[in-house]
Amino acid sequence: MKKRYIKILEYLEQSENDFVNGSELASLFNVTTRTIRNDIREINESYLEKVVIVGNNQKGYKLVGDLSNIHQNEDDYEERAFHIIKTLLSETDFITYDELAKKLYFSTQTIRKDVQKLFQIIKAEKRNIEMEAIIFQGIRLKGSEVEKRLLLKKLVTTNCLKRMSLDEALQYYFDDWFSQSSIQLVCSCIEEEVTKYNLLLSSQELFSICVNIIISLKRVGLNQKISEKDMRLDNTSFEELKIAKLILTRLVREMNVQ
């Protein structure tokens, strides 16, 4: 479950059965009211049992029922796998299973199983990375910077575009990495460059480019840069590489990423 979902539920629970205006929630979490509406719908449909967030056009939202009945889908491995890898890429050192479980709101046992499955997948795909585990220290992701980014990128699906706009989909995946305004800057910058070079892209292709750029910006901000020997130009024309570099350079400057 996304951290914002948990915080929304906690905030509504603390409101002692009073309605909370959608604008208040949007301001609190630095998102749009439309994003809050989407969040409420997703929370109701995917996580709540015997409890519901009711909405009123004039009054806002209210939690009705016992929050102890919150439901975490233990079978939703793909979403957890994305957040596990994303968390590992956000850390500069080892992180324990208990810390991962606390961050993702799942049991330590579930997270251990997920990590083991990820270990097998990475090994089977012969990626130049590995999940390193040390007793009493935890786990971390080691290896090629390029492969780390590609692994996280692989775990992002375009299914959310069926019910969300481009920037909302990016916020869904990366709102704890960048603010809504930063994500909107990424979208607008890429759309400008795409228009400038007369590139004809589908919404899925545009989304894929944005995801790659956002991952790169985060890694650059953590001083995790790609070495020259890791650069792979297979099936990539010089012009495409030039455009990608221009976009990333512009965003690094405008977003003040060091």
Side-chain angles (χ1 to χ4, degrees), residues 55-102:
N56 182 288
N57 289 335
Q58 281 74 43
K59 297 180 179 180
Y61 303 99
K62 180 172 70 171
L63 189 68
V64 177
D66 182 4
L67 195 54
S68 64
N69 287 306
I70 188 171
H71 172 64
Q72 289 276 39
N73 186 357
E74 296 290 328
D75 296 325
D76 195 5
Y77 162 76
E78 288 79 9
E79 183 175 342
R80 290 197 309 276
F82 167 78
H83 287 292
I84 288 171
I85 297 299
K86 182 160 162 265
T87 301
L88 291 177
L89 292 188
S90 301
E91 301 291 327
T92 55
D93 205 348
F94 287 93
I95 183 171
T96 67
Y97 289 106
D98 287 341
E99 288 170 335
L100 261 178
K102 187 176 180 180

Side-chain angles (χ1 to χ4, degrees), residues 14-32:
Q14 293 167 6
S15 299
E16 299 180 347
N17 295 322
D18 288 334
F19 279 94
V20 178
N21 189 274
S23 298
E24 179 182 341
L25 288 172
S27 176
L28 182 66
F29 298 106
N30 194 28
V31 296
T32 64

